[in-house]
Amino acid sequence: MSENALEQHEIDYRARQLRLGTWIGVAVILIGAVRALLDRHGGPWLVALMVLAAAGQAVLVALPWERYMTRDGRWLSRVMIAWWGANLALLLAFTAYDVAALAIYPAGVTLILASTAALAGDREVIGFGVASVAGYLGLVVTRDRPAAGTLAALTVALMLGVTWFCARTASNRRRLDAGRHTAERKIEALLENASDAVLAVHPSGEVTYASPSVRTALGYDPAIMTSELLMDITHPDYLATSMEWWTAVVNGGRGYTARAETRVRRAEGAWIWVEVIATNRFDEEPLNAAVISIRDITTRKELEEELTRQAFADSLTGMPNRALFRDRLEHAIARNRRGGGRITLLLVDLDDFKLVNDSLGHTAGDQLIAATALRLHQQLRASDTLARLGGDEFAVLVEDITEIEAMDLGDRLLAAIRRPLRLGNREVVCSASIGVATAKAGDGDDGPDPGELLRNADLAMYAAKGAGRDRFALFDPAMYAGVLREAEERAEVERALARDEFLVHYQPIVDLPTSRLIGVEALVRWEHPVRGLLGPNAFIPLAESTGLIVPLGRWVLRQACEQLARWRDEFPAAAGIRVNVNLSARQFQHEGLVEEVAGILAETGVDPRQIVLEITESLLMQDTDSTIETLGRLKALGVRLAIDDFGTGYSSLSYLKRFPVDILKIDRSFVDGITTERGDATLAEAVVQLGRALQLQTVAEGIETAEQWSTLQSLGCEFGQGYLFARPGAAEAISSILGDARP
Ligand code: C2E
Ligand code: CA
Ligand code: CA
């Protein structure tokens, strides 16, 4: 039963009592009137007055009592007593009148005394019980006087009625009291079993109530709860906020509610997180306190913390992620701005991680990352921060070390990564490139910008990669110039494409025993308006990284095909030659490659069998399934495929068998040392034999001396290419060879 329902019940009950009291008054007056008529006491005016009084009383019954009642019923109770009193007084007056008229003193006096006593003691039941007995006595005494007997009988009947009514009233009250008691018990039980501890605290800090649930929620005996104890068990870190919260509640005014989260110590010593909610009820009687509920939110807090941790941690290594690293970096910068210290940032990026990931699978890739993280971690102090920024990129934040120490750390990190690593049943050797950037307090007004520091380290890292990997580079402002230059160069390549500044040179590929021309390799050149004729090494890497290689490569293929078509039309010998065109990895990944090649072949009308597409060995190691699919679709067009720079990658026999290639081009590095170093001759021989075993043609690249030529021949290599036969040159040079050749 709610508090409100309880009040409503009380009001209804009292209003009902009032109305009943009024009816009794009406009845008493009417009885008196009848008595006056029967005994002919008094005149007609008395009877008229009585009837009028009865009517007046009856009207009062209809009054909306409920409306005048205060919620606590106190006002009502006063009205009630007055009303009852008035009616009783009326009753007594009539009785007194009868008594005086009939001279039955003992009964009347007893009746008056009992009623008055009962009224004073608010014990209606007893009072009217006694009154009834007195009335009965009166009946006995006046047995021989019919008029007095009638009066006594009526009085007894009336008293019995009143007694019955009062008994009912009393039982009603008892029921109400019982109801209220149960409700209180219920609330008590609720507070006891609730997980929230509930306190009432005066503005002075005095705890006026502590619910039984204090014991379950905090472990303390509710009886000993004081504000001193509350402060004592609050975590020192949260004392200030707790005090602020309490001040806010005290000053907040009536009904003001404030919430806070804090840490408290349970009785047995464990620290828990609690939420405290206080409502200012200082002005509300009879509480005059703030109601504070204290709830244990440790589980929720822990969950929140775990979620935050996850949001800021890398799932693979459990280390801080980019967001958290950024945060730590900002804090370090802020700290050093005051302390004047120095911050060093090392950006570590694995070399060729993609290769491992693609060839050995993602599980191996993940293992490599985790192992790298561990190795880096072992080289650091506890105060250093290591984070995984994503992919194979790590960042290390170190405070207060000199440049020499930073370089030393860089060396140690590189050495740690270089150690061979077992991935499954394979042994892998990895390396990394590290960019180092430092910032001192006083660099700029607010200290260095974290974003700038990261960018600097990134630039240095790229510089380390560019300088040959497996090394570190210290950031140098000149690196910005490099970046700017790169951007300019990219724009330049774009312009060059638009202005047709590229051209294609052709280098003959010959049959080694006869040195007869069997084909050409198309090699792109750039006729730079200022720098003159540039080789591919000057712009291909840039074109690759910017994606411009896709339109450039397409252009080279078209040029080569158109050239072949012209030769074919001009020289009968051209029908037997082939044209090799280089495809870069980036072109290979380009979605529309196969369709583009097919389109160019169709438009230029060349025989696809005369076209050889050269792809590098490292390209084959990437993403094997889709690579095999693309190679198959290219083969289906009728073109042939060659593996360029063969021997520099890691391809194994079993690996090669899976790819539909026709030609192996032995890398120049093998040819270079073939006559001087014993090892390379064996390697070259092995490569030639591998080609034979796989029934592939072999082309040796970079033949510069006659000795190399004869050695390769003796090893069984069929074809060759190199300065010894011809340097790459304009199409006209090939035209004259073709023209000289006998059909
Ligand atoms: P590559 O495919 O290995 O091409 C052979 C390179 O070796 C050419 O260099 C060629 O001039 C050079 N060469 C040939 N014979 C000898 C020799 O006897 N001694 C020496 N030292 N070098 C010799 P180039 O023209 O500078 O091309 C370099 C690389 O650029 C090529 O290596 C190829 O990977 C790439 N490239 C050239 N043209 C294209 C193209 O159109 N598209 C793509 N994607 N790459 C191209
Ligand atoms: Ca090539
Ligand atoms: Ca090559």
Side-chain angles (χ1 to χ4, degrees):
M1 197 190 279
S2 81
E3 207 181 322
N4 273 353
L6 207 73
E7 279 178 12
Q8 195 53 49
H9 185 91
E10 173 99 20
I11 287 169
D12 289 348
Y13 158 71
R14 284 176 192 269
R16 215 165 35 239
Q17 244 183 339
L18 258 178
R19 293 207 175 89
L20 274 168
T22 312
W23 281 125
I24 290 166
V26 172
V28 167
I29 296 167
L30 288 179
I31 290 167
V34 171
R35 266 297 295 127
L37 274 176
L38 282 177
D39 284 0
R40 292 185 224 294
H41 291 302
W45 57 269
L46 182 67
V47 176
L49 193 78
M50 282 176 152
V51 172
L52 220 82
Q57 287 253 30
V59 170
L60 284 174
V61 174
L63 276 181
W65 296 106
E66 291 87 343
R67 238 192 269 157
Y68 307 127
M69 297 181 188
T70 53
R71 289 188 84 67
D72 57 13
R74 256 172 295 175
W75 178 84
L76 182 67
S77 146
R78 256 173 252 136
V79 171
M80 253 194 67
I81 289 170
W83 194 250
W84 270 98
N87 274 337
L88 271 177
L90 218 75
L91 175 67
L92 292 174
F94 281 118
T95 313
Y97 163 78
D98 270 345
V99 166
L102 302 167
I104 313 166
Y105 284 103
V109 170
T110 321
L111 188 67
I112 290 165
L113 287 178
S115 291
T116 315
L119 195 64
D122 198 16
R123 294 286 160 104
E124 300 94 331
V125 186
I126 307 166
F128 286 108
V130 173
S132 306
V133 174
Y136 175 71
L137 284 177
L139 189 71
V140 173
V141 173
T142 57
R143 217 177 12 208
D144 50 334
R145 300 181 58 182
T150 314
L151 168 75
L154 276 171
T155 311
V156 167
L158 180 68
M159 291 303 147
L160 281 175
V162 169
T163 307
W164 168 80
F165 166 69
C166 289
R168 234 193 63 173
T169 304
S171 88
N172 265 352
R173 174 168 301 167
R174 264 197 306 278
R175 245 209 327 271
L176 188 73
D177 284 349
R180 187 186 282 150
H181 187 70
T182 330
E184 275 169 11
R185 271 298 310 145
K186 262 190 205 160
I187 291 168
E188 195 74 353
L190 266 175
L191 289 175
E192 200 163 346
N193 294 316
S195 48
D196 293 13
V198 178
L199 303 176
V201 182
H202 268 253
S204 64
E206 186 198 343
V207 177
T208 52
Y209 173 80
S211 70
S213 48
V214 164
R215 195 185 295 282
T216 41
L218 302 173
Y220 298 96
D221 180 356
I224 62 158
M225 262 297 149
T226 58
S227 47
E228 287 76 28
L229 178 68
L230 280 174
M231 264 155 63
D232 207 44
I233 64 171
T234 302
H235 194 282
D237 290 356
Y238 294 90
L239 256 182
T241 29
S242 299
M243 288 314 293
E244 210 166 292
W245 162 81
W246 177 245
T247 317
V249 174
V250 173
N251 299 333
R254 190 191 176 120
Y256 179 83
T257 297
R259 189 188 159 278
E261 280 176 13
T262 170
R263 298 196 70 191
V264 296
R265 197 182 54 239
R266 278 184 60 96
E268 71 285 351
W271 286 101
I272 56 167
W273 274 104
V274 291
E275 175 190 59
V276 283
I277 299 174
T279 307
N280 180 327
R281 298 212 185 281
F282 294 140
D283 296 344
E284 285 170 43
E285 297 280 349
L287 203 56
N288 299 107
V291 178
I292 303 178
S293 74
I294 303 174
R295 171 176 299 184
D296 186 342
I297 53 163
T298 311
T299 325
R300 195 193 81 200
K301 270 297 216 206
E302 278 169 357
L303 193 72
E304 268 174 21
E305 272 168 14
E306 174 62 18
L307 286 175
T308 324
R309 207 186 58 71
Q310 278 174 13
F312 286 108
D314 169 54
S315 55
L316 179 59
T317 61
M319 291 178 171
N321 62 10
R322 185 180 283 275
L324 183 57
F325 184 76
R326 185 75 199 218
D327 188 64
R328 297 254 176 102
L329 184 58
E330 275 164 18
H331 277 100
I333 288 173
R335 257 200 315 279
N336 281 269
R337 186 157 60 230
R338 277 176 262 130
R342 185 190 178 95
I343 295 167
T344 305
L345 183 63
L346 293 96
L347 222 60
V348 183
D349 192 283
L350 289 180
D351 300 326
D352 292 325
F353 172 69
K354 196 169 157 30
L355 214 70
V356 175
N357 218 25
D358 291 340
S359 55
L360 302 182
H362 289 287
T363 321
D366 283 357
Q367 281 172 2
L368 175 60
I369 293 292
T372 306
L374 215 66
R375 287 177 173 194
L376 293 174
H377 185 75
Q378 283 162 355
Q379 300 300 321
L380 301 173
R381 301 172 301 182
S383 55
D384 303 337
T385 301
L386 172 64
R388 180 179 175 216
L389 301 191
D392 56 337
E393 203 180 19
F394 294 90
V396 180
L397 172 67
V398 189
E399 289 177 60
D400 288 323
I401 57 168
T402 62
E403 199 168 276
I404 306 282
E405 286 170 323
M407 286 162 72
D408 188 53
L409 177 59
D411 270 332
R412 275 190 288 128
L413 295 181
L414 287 172
I417 293 173
R418 235 179 265 133
R419 288 200 326 261
L421 178 73
R422 257 212 113 63
L423 289 183
N425 48 11
R426 284 237 204 171
E427 185 130 300
V428 181
V429 179
C430 242
S431 66
S433 302
I434 302 181
V436 185
T438 55
K440 284 188 293 290
D443 292 359
D445 290 341
D446 304 325
D449 168 52
E452 192 184 314
L453 200 58
L454 272 166
R455 264 197 308 281
N456 291 353
D458 204 44
L459 276 178
M461 194 268 289
Y462 274 104
K465 285 234 191 265
R469 306 160 159 214
D470 190 17
R471 67 193 64 213
F472 66 82
L474 296 178
F475 169 74
D476 176 348
M479 286 170 180
Y480 271 114
V483 175
L484 278 178
R485 201 177 53 236
E486 211 168 275
E488 277 165 20
E489 281 172 1
R490 183 181 347 168
E492 239 188 331
V493 171
E494 254 169 354
R495 267 200 305 277
L497 254 176
R499 292 184 193 158
D500 250 348
E501 288 173 4
F502 291 104
L503 52 102
V504 179
H505 276 180
Y506 298 90
Q507 182 179 36
I509 299 169
V510 301
D511 174 50
L512 281 186
T514 62
S515 67
R516 196 172 51 91
L517 179 85
I518 63 121
V520 294
E521 177 174 2
L523 295 160
V524 69
R525 299 289 180 262
W526 181 6
E527 186 70 79
H528 195 278
V530 184
R531 293 156 70 195
L533 194 67
L534 299 177
N537 295 335
F539 58 88
I540 290 280
L542 183 75
E544 284 247 4
S545 64
T546 55
L548 285 171
I549 191 72
V550 173
L552 180 62
R554 196 189 302 143
W555 180 84
V556 173
L557 179 64
R558 184 180 293 275
Q559 290 292 308
C561 288
E562 283 171 357
Q563 187 59 57
L564 178 60
R566 278 196 292 275
W567 281 329
R568 186 196 54 201
D569 295 344
E570 243 177 287
F571 313 105
I577 67 160
R578 60 199 191 198
V579 175
N580 289 24
V581 177
N582 294 286
L583 277 190
S584 82
R586 184 76 181 256
Q587 270 175 283
F588 202 80
Q589 283 149 13
H590 174 58
E591 286 282 313
L593 174 76
V594 181
E595 287 72 25
E596 275 172 21
V597 173
I600 292 170
L601 290 173
E603 283 166 41
T604 54
V606 298
D607 181 354
R609 283 171 303 181
Q610 284 186 274
I611 300 296
V612 178
L613 298 178
E614 296 190 4
I615 49 180
T616 57
E617 198 177 5
S618 53
L619 185 147
L620 293 182
M621 315 261 318
Q622 300 175 4
D623 203 3
T624 46
D625 283 344
S626 78
T627 305
I628 292 178
E629 198 219 314
T630 312
L631 289 175
R633 288 171 62 209
L634 285 172
K635 281 284 293 192
L637 297 177
V639 301
R640 281 187 284 182
L641 300 173
I643 299 185
D644 206 355
D645 305 338
F646 187 74
T648 56
Y650 311 88
S651 28
S652 63
L653 187 66
S654 63
Y655 204 81
L656 272 178
K657 277 204 293 206
R658 301 173 55 200
F659 298 105
V661 292
D662 312 276
I663 300 156
L664 290 186
K665 293 191 77 176
I666 302 166
D667 191 65
R668 199 173 69 225
S669 57
F670 295 108
V671 177
D672 266 350
I674 205 166
T675 46
T676 50
E677 284 167 50
R678 189 69 212 123
D680 266 343
T682 7
L683 265 178
E685 190 179 358
V687 174
V688 173
Q689 264 155 24
L690 185 61
R692 280 236 196 92
L694 293 170
Q695 290 176 310
L696 305 176
Q697 291 182 355
T698 45
V699 181
E701 291 184 302
I703 304 172
E704 294 180 352
T705 67
E707 215 184 339
Q708 288 169 342
W709 180 21
S710 58
T711 312
L712 283 162
Q713 269 193 80
S714 67
L715 290 178
C717 183
E718 293 168 89
F719 307 106
Q721 182 181 354
Y723 294 168
L724 178 68
F725 307 105
R727 288 187 174 253
E732 290 72 44
I734 306 298
S735 301
S736 59
I737 300 174
L738 288 172
D740 288 348
R742 258 176 277 152

